[in-house]
Amino acid sequence: MAKLRVGVVSPEREIWSGEADMVIAKTIDGEIGIMPKHAPVLGVLVEGGVLTVKRGGGEPDLVAAVHGGFLSVADNEVSILAELAELGSEVDVAAAKDALQRAQASIDANQEDADAAIEVKRARARLRAAGEEVG
């Protein structure tokens, strides 16, 4: 079976690259699943989304919190150009929970705090990427 070549990068570093059977990402148009031989696509990634790379062959899925950026698909190559990204295995769960609580408290105090709303999305994505339940 054909494989996808996948690269996930942010301005700071290359997050991950390798082969995969499927990539699932959340774009502004909805969640998209990419498999080999997928039609070319260019998508805008949402703030606070989770990216899942299904590697197959018994390897665990790669999960990352992705905050904005773009997804490009062409010729079995998937490029994720994220504004900010973090592998689930790298997430500091305690810090993410603390950030979520602070952002929610800020929203409770000021209903129109757009920055806090973004921080809530980011913290929830980080926790989901780390495999934590988010309420």
Side-chain angles (χ1 to χ4, degrees):
M1 178 178 174
K3 291 275 194 176
L4 296 168
R5 291 178 309 280
V6 182
V8 183
V9 298
S10 73
E12 293 84 27
R13 66 187 177 115
E14 179 180 60
I15 307 297
W16 184 83
S17 67
E19 290 190 338
D21 291 336
M22 183 177 192
V23 174
I24 302 168
K26 190 167 184 181
T27 70
I28 60 171
D29 294 320
E31 195 166 62
I32 185 169
I34 306 295
M35 294 180 70
K37 299 184 181 181
H38 196 285
V41 173
L42 181 61
V44 178
L45 300 170
V46 298
E47 185 70 42
V50 174
L51 171 73
T52 303
V53 178
K54 297 194 174 284
R55 296 187 279 184
E59 290 189 61
D61 294 347
L62 178 91
V63 182
V66 178
H67 312 291
F70 299 91
L71 168 133
S72 171
V73 179
D75 300 323
N76 286 338
E77 188 162 332
V78 180
S79 298
I80 308 290
L81 310 169
E83 291 177 21
L84 182 65
E86 184 176 15
L87 292 174
S89 60
E90 298 173 345
V91 171
D92 180 337
V93 173
K97 286 180 179 180
D98 184 53
L100 178 59
Q101 288 176 346
R102 282 182 286 131
Q104 286 177 325
S106 180
I107 288 173
D108 292 343
N110 178 6
Q111 295 296 327
E112 297 181 23
D113 190 343
D115 291 337
I118 290 171
E119 286 305 314
V120 165
K121 288 180 183 180
R122 286 183 176 183
R124 285 184 174 157
R126 292 178 70 219
L127 290 168
R128 284 192 312 269
E132 294 289 315
E133 291 293 321
V134 181

